[in-house]
Structures are given as structure tokens and as C-alpha cells.
């Protein structure tokens, strides 16, 4: 039986450090802002229950980042992946893009709203995973993030 939980993550990485409270961010004015925003409400695998607002929340966060009230981030500096756009390969491609474009003093947002799960391996160690749109309901090591 699946024991999935809805997961919401917002990580802010600045020069290799994770910042929890956005009010504490001190970024060089020369730095740019990049974001990967993922929201999965409907999964390909029907054994994974749908979520009501994950995709909508991701879109709202992406829009806020791009607005003047947010960070005024240009469109090309935000990767928004909703539902079927958030396949395993698309998520890994977006994360690779982040590693290629982000430099020291840049601000990076990784937003994920969707299901997460754990899988215990042969040594009884629990591994946590974020489920992509096309993740199966098991074998996460090869099919999830």
C-alpha cells in the first residue's frame, strides 16, 4: 500500500548555504535570481492520488517571482514544470540547467509541491524521494528524484 505524503519544499541556496528565512537573504545586487518551480497535481500513475492545488500553487509562486512585488525575475530565468511537464527527465534537465547558469552571489529557488515518499533499501535505510509526474508507485531509486 502506498503511504504518500504531499511535500512542499522551498530551498534558497546562496553561495552554497541553505537559507531558511527569506528575510535573512543578503545577496549582492549584482547577483541574478534563478528558479525551478515544480507543481504536480495529477500523476501519470493512477495509483498515486491526485492533489488539489500543487500545480496552481507552483504557478502562483512562479508568477510572484516574475512580478515587481516579488523578485522581478525575467521569464527565461524561471523554469516552471506543471503536471506532465514535470517528468523525471524534465526535472533533472531543469536542475542541470541551474548548475550551469547559477554563479556565486546568485539566488536560486527550488520549489516543489507534489508527493514525496520513502523506500527502504536492503540495508533497512530509508531513502526519501520526490515523485515526478511519471514516477511509478515503487522502485524510486531509478524513477524518482
Amino acid at each position: 500500500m502506498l503511504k504518500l505524503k504531499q511535500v512542499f519544499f522551498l530551498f534558497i541556496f546562496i553561495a552554497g548555504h541553505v537559507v531558511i528565512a527569506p528575510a535573512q537573504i543578503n545577496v549582492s545586487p549584482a547577483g541574478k535570481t534563478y528558479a525551478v518551480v515544480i507543481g504536480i497535481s495529477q500523476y501519470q500513475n493512477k495509483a498515486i492520488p491526485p492533489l488539489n492545488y500543487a500545480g496552481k500553487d507552483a504557478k502562483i509562486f512562479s508568477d510572484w517571482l516574475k512580478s515587481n512585488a516579488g523578485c522581478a525575475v525575467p521569464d527565461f530565468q524561471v523554469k516552471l514544470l506543471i503536471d506532465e511537464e514535470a517528468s523525471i527527465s524534465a526535472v533533472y534537465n531543469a536542475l542541470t540547467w541551474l548548475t550551469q547558469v547559477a554563479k556565486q552571489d546568485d539566488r536560486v529557488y527550488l520549489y516543489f509541491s507534489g508527493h514525496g515518499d520513502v523506500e527502504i533499501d536492503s540495508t533497512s535505510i530509508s531513502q526519501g524521494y520526490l515523485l515526478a509526474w511519471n514516477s511509478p508507485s515503487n522502485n524510486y531509486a531509478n524513477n524518482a528524484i
Side-chain angles (χ1 to χ4, degrees), residues 87-103:
S87 66
I88 297 163
S89 62
V91 170
Y92 277 113
N93 285 341
L95 295 174
T96 299
W97 167 78
L98 272 180
T99 65
Q100 294 170 345
V101 298
K103 306 292 183 238

Side-chain angles (χ1 to χ4, degrees), residues 46-105:
K46 298 305 176 203
I48 300 174
L51 297 168
N52 291 328
Y53 305 107
K56 291 176 186 175
D57 290 346
K59 175 74 167 106
I60 289 168
F61 183 71
S62 174
D63 289 345
W64 176 81
L65 282 174
K66 296 174 188 179
S67 74
N68 288 334
C71 301
V73 180
D75 282 343
F76 66 90
Q77 290 174 211
V78 177
K79 300 282 184 191
L80 175 63
L81 304 173
I82 295 179
D83 290 337
E84 65 274 359
E85 298 169 345
S87 66
I88 297 163
S89 62
V91 170
Y92 277 113
N93 285 341
L95 295 174
T96 299
W97 167 78
L98 272 180
T99 65
Q100 294 170 345
V101 298
K103 306 292 183 238
Q104 185 171 342
D105 296 327

Side-chain angles (χ1 to χ4, degrees), residues 5 24 30 33 66 72 74 128 138:
K5 295 185 185 254
Q24 299 172 0
T33 299
K66 296 174 188 179
N138 59 18

Side-chain angles (χ1 to χ4, degrees), residues 6-13 34-40 53-62 64-65 78-82 86 91 94-95 98 108-114 130:
Q6 184 173 2
V7 179
F8 168 83
F9 287 109
L10 174 59
F11 294 106
I12 303 168
F13 295 96
Y34 297 96
V36 172
V37 181
I38 302 164
I40 309 170
Y53 305 107
K56 291 176 186 175
D57 290 346
K59 175 74 167 106
I60 289 168
F61 183 71
S62 174
W64 176 81
L65 282 174
V78 177
K79 300 282 184 191
L80 175 63
L81 304 173
I82 295 179
V91 170
L95 295 174
L98 272 180
V108 173
Y109 291 94
L110 172 58
Y111 176 106
F112 179 86
S113 183
L130 302 178

